[in-house]
Amino acid sequence: MSDNRLAIEVAGLVKTFGKTRAVDGVDLAVPAGGVYGVLGPNGAGKTTTIRILATLLAPDAGTVRVLGHDVVREADAIRARVSLTGQFASLDEDITGTENMILLARLLGFSRSGARERATELLTAFDLTEAAGRQVKTYSGGMRRRLDIAASIVVSPDLLFLDEPTTGLDPRSRNQVWDIVRALVAGGTTVLLTTQYLDEADQLADRIAVIEHGRVIAEGTSGELKARVGGGAVHVRLRDAERRPEAARLLTAVLGVPVELASDPVSLAATVSDAELVARGLTELTRSGFEITEFALGQPSLDEVFLALTGHHADADGGPGGRSEAAGAGLPAASATTKEPVA
Amino acid sequence: MTTASTNATSTEAAAGDAASTGAVADPAAAVATPFATPEPRTPAGGIDERVRAALSLRSRPARPSALSACVTFGWRALLRIKHVPEQLFDVTAFPIMMTLMFSYLFGGALAGSTDEYIQFFLPGILVATVIMITMYTGVGLNTDITKGVFDRIRSLPVWRPAALVGMMLGDAVRYTVAAVLVICLGLAIGFRPDGGVVGVVLGVLLLLLFAFSLAWVWNILGLVMRTPNAVMGASMMVLFPLTFGSNIYVDPETMPGWLQAAVDVNPISHLVTAVRGLMHDTVTAGQLGWVFLWCAILVAVFAPITMRLYARR
């Protein structure tokens, strides 16, 4: 599947619910093979888009072709070749893991014994043997996710949709899901995943579309996007909250970028790409007698990406008022952060 | 294929999942991860290799037949009953309550004696209880839709009505449970059908057929309404006048003329007449014909509407 054909072609996709334009003119060109990431805050239109691509919702306008088939007229042909792992476990929680898997295998045409074999094989592969006989509602978040993905590959799909596969998972389960996604891609499946986390898109996706208010606001490889965003983010926590403004002034002077003051009264953050500059900033802080309790150099948060791409904070709920800087209801970081340019 | 040590770690991970979910939802935790340095990996037991091996299956078996898909969905309904037997409460408690309450409270007043009334009333209350619990089909569908499993089911390449038909087949099991309960209870308190076992069984089958046809109406409510409670409320609004405005409880001859006219065209009345006829061995082809006609109308009108809504949802 490593040819140059497009797995998904979307042009001018629109979907409205009442007065809300959940998807407002999305264009996508997803190459076959590899992982394509759709990055955006809650309510950006990610789930609606993925549901249309998986033939669960009919588009209001625009053309959508999945694996060469029209999503409205040839839905059945698409269903035969794609799988969807929804944002909330797409499983029957009242029955056991094994029963879920057998159910799906039977519906995909396996014989009774074939379905049982396939169920065992997949449950073993996904480390779920011990939990196989328990009701799914007793599973932990990570186990549920694994079972959910296992259910999606009963017959290996050509294209797999993963809607926020790691939201709410602990780091270990998240790593497992990432390993699984990489294995799927190595096996020849194209994966389209949505996420709220830049580091997830960065780790997994070959190309990323950033989506907000139902529109694609940026698209490219992770490297291309980072070049636009500015690479990394430094987070510093001080011991003394009262000295924060002073520390912010110093750090701004060294880094040459505005420093963000989050709601956490001892926290400072800035978007920088040069690790050496950060080291110098930290040295300066220590030398000037600031006590640093914690610091981290990491990926910019989704909010910082949006700030860099659009000049405003990521905003979950849309609407005309939503575009102002202060309104950011979606992410805790967004609503709590005030941008304060320091002289 | 897994060593003992990896098994141990995976169990720990499972326990850890549950314990630490709250803490990691914090986006700050993700930000704090060092830039470009992946977290130290605990040996994952080669989950990626095993997944890759499990992926080898790329050829798809032949699509299951419509019947096989329906049966599989019916099996799912039975599994749900097995795991959540509480859901049988409505089909057991309600029929027992209705049968006893009406027989003893109203029997004497309506037909002179409980014993006489039960001969007239039992087929009627059987119909009433089963018809009342058909509304749980819509309630169940509505509940199902709000869960993620519905998306997966709808994205499968199977005969589209199979999920609904299978659910309704599972419901037929519930109806049968209720019907058997009511009949056994009736026999215990003096119901003596002239039609014998054959008449009673045929009566129940006719009732099941009608219940299956009527359930399509509740499917529509289940697909259109927002909450299971709303579905229940709306179904009640239809079912109460439909069951009470029939010949279930009393002989319509005591009613005013206009009401008699309404009762006479009520499909429930036709059904009750035919079920009574089968159980007491007095049924006519005309009585059966009416019921089959109503079943055909219900399915022909409401099944296509349901499928349209189902596809759009």
Side-chain angles (χ1 to χ4, degrees):
Chain A
M1 288 292 288
S2 57
D3 57 27
N4 294 322
R5 282 184 305 112
L6 289 177
I8 301 171
E9 298 169 78
V10 178
L13 177 63
V14 174
K15 180 73 191 178
T16 52
F17 298 108
K19 281 185 182 166
T20 320
R21 287 174 87 83
V23 177
D24 192 9
V26 160
D27 303 306
L28 284 177
V30 178
V35 179
Y36 192 93
V38 175
L39 178 68
N42 284 328
K46 301 190 299 288
T47 299
T48 307
T49 305
I50 221 169
R51 285 170 60 86
I52 292 171
L53 294 175
T55 75
L56 294 174
L57 269 179
D60 290 338
T63 56
V64 183
R65 295 185 75 77
V66 175
L67 300 168
H69 298 287
D70 184 275
V71 83
V72 178
R73 287 191 304 274
E74 302 163 293
D76 229 32
I78 295 173
R79 283 183 202 123
R81 291 177 62 196
V82 306
S83 272
L84 167 74
T85 303
Q87 192 170 348
F88 308 102
S90 330
L91 299 158
D92 191 330
E93 307 214 319
D94 289 329
I95 66 178
T96 69
T98 306
E99 286 163 352
N100 265 294
M101 298 300 286
I102 293 179
L103 185 76
L104 284 165
R106 289 287 288 148
L107 290 171
L108 289 165
F110 281 78
S111 67
R112 250 171 243 281
S113 59
R116 187 161 283 279
E117 259 169 51
R118 184 67 178 148
T120 311
E121 183 183 8
L122 283 169
L123 289 166
T124 311
F126 283 80
D127 263 343
L128 290 165
T129 317
E130 282 164 64
R134 295 209 321 255
Q135 277 173 284
V136 174
K137 63 177 156 204
T138 67
Y139 284 27
S140 70
M143 292 159 74
R144 226 175 259 233
R145 263 295 152 203
R146 294 209 299 277
L147 183 64
D148 214 351
I149 297 176
S152 294
I153 62 165
V154 170
V155 173
S156 308
D158 293 327
L159 173 61
L160 175 64
F161 298 106
L162 291 174
D163 196 5
E164 301 201 8
T166 63
T167 299
L169 294 191
D170 62 70
R172 195 200 141 90
S173 303
R174 190 179 58 169
N175 276 334
Q176 274 187 328
V177 170
W178 287 357
D179 282 343
I180 291 168
V181 171
R182 292 193 188 100
L184 292 174
V185 172
T189 297
T190 306
V191 174
L192 184 135
L193 71 86
T194 69
T195 180
Q196 300 188 33
Y197 307 120
L198 184 66
D199 64 329
E200 179 161 87
D202 188 26
Q203 290 255 351
L204 288 176
D206 303 303
R207 294 190 73 82
I208 301 167
V210 184
I211 175 169
E212 191 199 25
H213 297 298
R215 287 171 182 278
V216 176
I217 56 170
E219 205 269 353
T221 63
S222 162
E224 286 164 4
L225 287 178
K226 268 198 228 159
R228 288 181 63 180
V229 172
V234 62
H235 293 258
V236 180
R237 299 188 81 214
L238 305 170
R239 185 170 302 283
D240 188 357
E242 281 175 20
R243 300 192 64 192
R244 182 165 78 159
E246 210 184 315
R249 267 194 296 278
L250 179 64
L251 208 53
T252 309
V254 179
L255 299 177
V257 290
V259 172
E260 303 242 337
L261 304 177
S263 63
D264 176 356
V266 294
S267 159
L268 302 157
T271 310
V272 274
S273 46
D274 188 350
E276 225 168 278
L277 213 53
V278 174
R280 207 183 312 155
L282 294 172
T283 314
E284 284 297 319
L285 283 176
T286 330
R287 192 176 298 161
S288 309
F290 293 98
E291 276 186 86
I292 298 170
T293 57
E294 199 181 307
F295 74 89
L297 182 59
Q299 296 268 351
S301 67
L302 182 61
D303 193 48
E304 287 155 346
V305 172
F306 274 85
L307 195 59
L309 287 176
T310 64
H312 62 84
H313 286 281
D315 156 36
D317 294 314
R323 298 206 175 238
S324 71
E325 237 186 21
L331 292 158
S335 51
T337 315
T338 47
K339 192 182 172 195
E340 191 173 305
V342 190
Chain B
M1 54 166 58
T2 32
T3 64
S5 68
T6 50
N7 272 338
T9 40
S10 68
T11 322
E12 276 166 33
D17 281 348
S20 55
T21 319
V24 283
D26 178 10
V31 174
T33 321
F35 185 41
T37 316
E39 300 162 22
R41 295 273 177 85
T42 28
I47 199 168
D48 46 347
E49 281 160 43
R50 279 174 286 133
V51 167
R52 216 167 298 174
L55 257 176
S56 56
L57 194 90
R58 194 163 279 278
S59 68
R60 183 179 285 270
R63 186 179 151 130
S65 68
L67 179 68
S68 153
C70 290
V71 170
T72 305
F73 280 114
W75 176 66
R76 169 177 174 238
L78 295 186
L79 285 174
R80 291 171 62 82
I81 294 176
K82 183 182 114 190
H83 287 293
V84 195
E86 303 92 278
Q87 60 180 295
L88 286 179
F89 181 76
D90 54 39
V91 300
T92 49
F94 183 71
I96 293 172
M97 188 185 77
M98 291 281 279
T99 309
L100 292 179
M101 204 173 74
F102 276 93
S103 304
Y104 289 107
L105 277 179
F106 304 131
L110 294 174
S113 75
T114 306
D115 205 47
E116 259 172 74
Y117 185 57
I118 195 81
Q119 310 307 328
F120 166 83
F121 175 65
L122 193 106
I125 195 66
L126 179 70
V127 169
T129 46
V130 171
I131 293 301
M132 286 301 265
I133 58 180
T134 56
M135 72 179 173
Y136 289 103
T137 296
V139 175
L141 177 62
N142 191 276
T143 314
D144 226 20
I145 286 174
T146 58
K147 301 196 173 150
V149 65
F150 214 70
D151 278 353
R152 186 182 293 286
I153 287 173
R154 288 206 313 139
S155 64
L156 289 171
V158 294
W159 186 57
R160 298 243 94 192
L164 297 177
V165 175
M167 255 172 125
M168 292 160 84
L169 289 177
D171 284 334
V173 172
R174 291 151 45 82
Y175 305 156
T176 310
V177 169
V180 168
L181 259 177
V182 170
I183 289 167
C184 290
L185 195 61
L187 290 173
I189 62 175
F191 177 54
R192 295 291 174 266
D194 299 330
V197 177
V198 176
V200 171
V201 169
L202 288 178
V204 170
L205 287 178
L206 187 70
L207 173 57
L208 289 180
L209 177 72
F210 185 88
F212 175 84
S213 312
L214 183 67
W216 288 102
V217 178
W218 314 137
N219 277 340
I220 292 176
L221 292 182
L223 286 167
V224 168
M225 304 235 142
R226 282 175 191 278
T227 65
N229 279 340
V231 177
M232 183 109 95
S235 313
M236 284 286 202
M237 295 266 285
V238 181
L239 278 174
F240 261 98
L242 212 58
T243 47
F244 279 88
S246 74
N247 57 359
I248 289 178
Y249 301 97
V250 291
D251 192 332
E253 276 173 32
T254 61
M255 300 174 188
W258 60 269
L259 189 56
Q260 269 191 47
V263 167
D264 283 345
V265 295
N266 182 348
I268 302 291
S269 299
H270 290 132
L271 175 65
V272 171
T273 307
V275 172
R276 255 181 209 143
L278 283 167
M279 291 192 171
H280 289 306
D281 204 16
T282 59
V283 75
T284 66
Q287 289 169 349
L288 288 174
W290 270 112
V291 177
F292 290 134
L293 181 66
W294 278 115
C295 291
I297 292 173
L298 285 169
V299 175
V301 173
F302 293 104
I305 298 176
T306 304
M307 289 323 298
R308 244 186 117 77
L309 290 168
Y310 179 72
R312 293 261 176 93
R313 175 98 189 181

